[in-house]
Amino acid sequence: MSLHRNPPFRVEHLGSLLRTDELLKVKTAFEKGEATQADLEAVEKKDIKEVVELQKQLGYPALSDGEYCRHMFWGSFFPGLEGFEEVSDPDPEVFRPYAPDVAAFLEAGHKPGESVFCTGKIKHVGSTYVDQFKYLASLVAPEEVKNLKLTLAAPNWYHLRYREGYAYPKDVYSNVDEYFADIAKAYQDELKILYDAGCRNVQFDDPNLAYFCSDKMLQGWKEDSLNTLTADETFEKYIKLYNDCLATRPSDFHIGVHLCRGNFVGSRHFSEGGYDRIATKLFKELDVDTYYLEYDTPRAGGFEPLKELPPHKNVILGIVTSKFPELEDKEEMKKRVYDAAKFIAEGNGVSVEQALNQVGVSPQCGFASHREGNAIDRNGMIAKLKLVRDIANDIWPGQQ
């Protein structure tokens, strides 16, 4: 097994970028029936073209469209499947109240908003992502298409949120394995369509996996009498689900997974806890090439779990926060990268210099996982992206 490189690159960002005020305004007008689909698409395409140029100027090879066509980071995959339906006013009782993002809403006096529920047999009936990718690809030279990064929803996203018995109808799927099998098939179909369109670089965005690092969630799970599986057994199911989703991917299709502890409007996070309790299974059993890990604050724990990272996998260290405008000290951040590499080196019995071949840097998360964005303005975002590029230039001079 060899290390997949370029992608990922020494410098990465996590996909979502701040929208312009014009785009936010037109999206709102469209939802109110005050602007047409054509009006919205015109602004989206203009802004995507401009943000692609910005990324090029800043030296980021894995260009994204900023997720400008999405309301939230997970996009439209699940609503686009046969067998799933959006519900605008779901019953709060169906949600796990200890799932960190659900808990945050409930604690603030809000009930969970619109959601997507399985109502019948799941079937892929056409990609809702591929046209977004094709437009992005039209903006770069043919040799750059393979570097473009598309972000995808986590396959477990609409399972963890719901209490036992509510994720799918029992008269449709008799058990979770049957349900996950059809989700995996849908992702296989999606990935083939994207691959055939030229996509070679995908990043799954998965806060759920990091939630298994949260003592608060794990305690809630244990106390929930409806659960038929332990949290650890569920985590193992999720690893298998991912591996089944990726079972048919070609070897030149780079797959990464991003873990964070929440990134909501106003720079909210939802959970805390280091990677220690999930590290072995996450790094050794999940069949991905790259891990994009939140590492900007103590809530993500230390670098010790990176001792479990195999020599054929990459880690992108999210050491610069995307949540607030204050700039980190570049030299301090470089030291953190070397500190992380020491643990990778120790785990694999290699030198720190060899371990650094498996490493890159990025902001901790996107800048606008929700379209309204974090508590940072455009100039602040650009300063953060420049800082990450500068860190990479110093550690890996001359490398993308």
Side-chain angles (χ1 to χ4, degrees):
M1 292 181 285
S2 59
L3 192 67
H4 201 298
R5 289 289 307 144
N6 293 346
F9 298 91
R10 298 302 180 202
V11 63
E12 295 269 348
H13 70 73
L14 278 303
S16 72
L17 299 167
L18 292 173
R19 278 81 164 162
T20 63
D21 290 340
E22 180 187 16
L23 179 54
L24 292 174
K25 182 179 177 182
V26 173
K27 280 183 180 291
T28 301
F30 172 73
E31 290 165 357
K32 292 179 177 178
E34 298 169 359
T36 66
Q37 182 75 37
D39 294 332
L40 177 59
E41 289 181 2
V43 178
E44 286 175 343
K45 288 187 174 181
K46 174 179 71 71
D47 282 5
I48 290 168
K49 189 173 184 179
E50 290 176 358
V51 86
V52 164
E53 288 305 311
L54 174 64
Q55 292 169 78
K56 287 182 179 179
Q57 292 166 17
L58 292 171
Y60 282 75
L63 306 169
S64 85
D65 63 4
E67 300 180 1
Y68 283 179
C69 299
R70 307 183 189 186
H71 172 68
M72 296 287 281
F73 69 88
W74 54 77
S76 52
F77 179 75
F78 280 96
L81 297 177
E82 187 176 294
F84 275 96
E85 292 183 13
E86 288 188 84
V87 176
S88 59
D89 190 27
D91 182 349
E93 292 299 313
V94 309
F95 294 91
R96 300 185 196 270
Y98 47 87
D101 53 326
V102 175
F105 285 116
L106 295 176
E107 288 166 8
H110 303 296
K111 69 177 187 176
E114 62 187 51
S115 199
V116 180
F117 290 86
C118 175
T119 56
K121 276 283 187 183
I122 298 164
K123 184 180 179 184
H124 193 280
V125 288
S127 174
T128 60
Y129 289 127
V130 70
D131 287 343
Q132 296 172 20
F133 177 80
K134 287 179 178 178
Y135 178 67
L136 182 61
S138 75
L139 302 177
V140 302
E143 63 270 18
E144 295 175 357
V145 172
K146 67 183 186 303
N147 301 336
L148 301 175
K149 180 158 67 175
L150 188 73
T151 58
L152 298 184
N156 57 50
W157 185 248
Y158 289 111
H159 180 264
L160 183 103
R161 298 173 63 77
Y162 306 134
R163 298 189 75 188
E164 185 73 29
Y166 292 100
Y168 52 87
K170 290 292 187 182
D171 60 343
V172 176
Y173 294 108
S174 60
N175 57 59
V176 72
D177 293 330
E178 290 183 5
Y179 167 70
F180 280 167
D182 277 358
I183 289 180
K185 178 62 169 63
Y187 272 91
Q188 290 174 13
D189 292 347
E190 179 71 31
L191 290 170
K192 184 178 188 310
I193 290 170
L194 293 173
Y195 185 87
D196 289 346
C199 182
R200 297 294 183 273
N201 186 15
V202 156
Q203 170 192 303
F204 286 91
D205 288 323
D206 197 340
N208 284 354
L209 295 183
Y211 290 167
F212 287 87
C213 304
S214 164
D215 289 338
K216 190 174 179 181
M217 191 198 85
L218 296 173
Q219 185 61 35
W221 192 288
K222 190 181 295 184
E223 294 170 356
D224 185 348
S225 61
L226 289 182
N227 285 328
T228 58
L229 298 175
T230 67
D232 287 344
E233 288 168 341
T234 302
F235 188 81
E236 290 173 4
K237 292 280 189 187
Y238 290 173
I239 296 289
K240 183 180 185 301
L241 170 59
Y242 264 104
N243 292 345
D244 289 344
C245 290
L246 303 174
T248 59
R249 65 154 165 157
S251 60
D252 64 338
F253 201 167
H254 171 260
I255 305 290
V257 61
H258 166 52
L259 278 70
C260 86
R261 289 148 184 80
N263 193 47
F264 196 59
V265 177
S267 298
R268 282 290 309 273
H269 74 276
F270 297 129
S271 72
E272 301 188 357
Y275 299 99
D276 308 71
R277 73 177 310 278
I278 66 170
T280 300
K281 289 188 178 297
L282 178 71
F283 295 140
K284 295 190 182 302
E285 296 182 16
L286 184 61
D287 187 21
V288 298
D289 302 298
T290 300
Y291 301 89
Y292 304 87
L293 300 184
E294 171 185 2
Y295 260 124
D296 62 325
T297 71
R299 69 171 169 264
F303 294 127
E304 290 84 354
L306 295 177
K307 287 190 287 187
E308 302 292 331
L309 185 75
H312 65 283
K313 294 187 178 185
N314 307 281
V315 62
I316 307 299
L317 302 171
I319 52 175
V320 171
T321 191
S322 60
K323 287 179 163 58
F324 303 105
E326 291 78 16
L327 279 178
E328 291 81 354
D329 179 85
K330 184 176 76 166
E331 296 305 317
E332 187 179 321
M333 295 303 102
K334 286 162 56 178
K335 182 180 181 301
R336 283 178 57 74
V337 173
Y338 282 101
D339 287 345
K342 289 174 186 174
F343 286 108
I344 299 170
E346 180 184 341
N348 290 325
V350 298
S351 69
V352 171
E353 287 69 28
Q354 286 173 302
L356 282 170
N357 288 330
Q358 298 175 242
V359 181
V361 289
S362 73
Q364 147 267 339
C365 197
F367 290 90
S369 299
H370 183 285
R371 78 181 187 201
E372 304 300 332
N374 290 350
I376 185 171
D377 64 15
R378 183 178 178 83
N379 288 335
M381 176 182 76
I382 291 172
K384 292 281 183 171
L385 293 172
K386 283 181 176 176
L387 173 60
V388 176
R389 179 72 264 186
D390 287 346
I391 293 167
N393 289 344
D394 283 2
I395 298 174
W396 302 279
Q399 296 189 38
Q400 289 187 304

